[in-house]
Amino acid sequence: HGSDALDLQQFRNQTKDETSLQILQFVLEDLLGTMNETQQRIVELRIEGHKSEDIAEQTGRSSRTVERVLQVFRLKLSDELDVGPSQFN
């Protein structure tokens, strides 16, 4: 029965993780919906792992603008998820 308990715990953890991911996806989509097309692209590129300088070049915006858009997004996301913005750097 020990392995059954472990399997059940793994299932609970996986379900919890999937639910958390679904909530995060909903929140992200909701926040992106409040942004203009360029701001959305900036955030999407950052999520894909691009650096600010690359994002600035790809979007035709200054690095400062990219950083500002990302900072505002982090703040909104942290408010929605009730965590500190440093979680998203």
Side-chain angles (χ1 to χ4, degrees), residues 5-63:
L6 180 59
D7 291 343
L8 182 57
Q9 187 60 42
Q10 286 177 332
F11 175 76
R12 286 181 180 149
N13 289 341
Q14 182 179 354
T15 303
K16 183 179 177 185
D17 291 345
E18 289 172 2
T19 301
S20 296
L21 286 174
Q22 289 172 341
I23 291 168
L24 181 58
Q25 183 176 5
F26 176 78
V27 169
L28 286 172
E29 288 173 1
D30 192 45
L31 287 178
L32 287 171
T34 67
M35 305 173 91
N36 69 39
E37 207 170 303
T38 301
Q39 293 168 332
Q40 289 176 11
R41 185 73 183 133
I42 289 169
V43 171
E44 289 167 354
L45 287 168
R46 184 66 184 124
I47 289 171
E48 291 172 7
H50 295 274
K51 302 225 179 284
S52 295
E53 298 80 23
D54 298 332
I55 296 170
E57 190 175 307
Q58 289 186 43
T59 59
R61 299 296 188 265
S62 69
S63 291

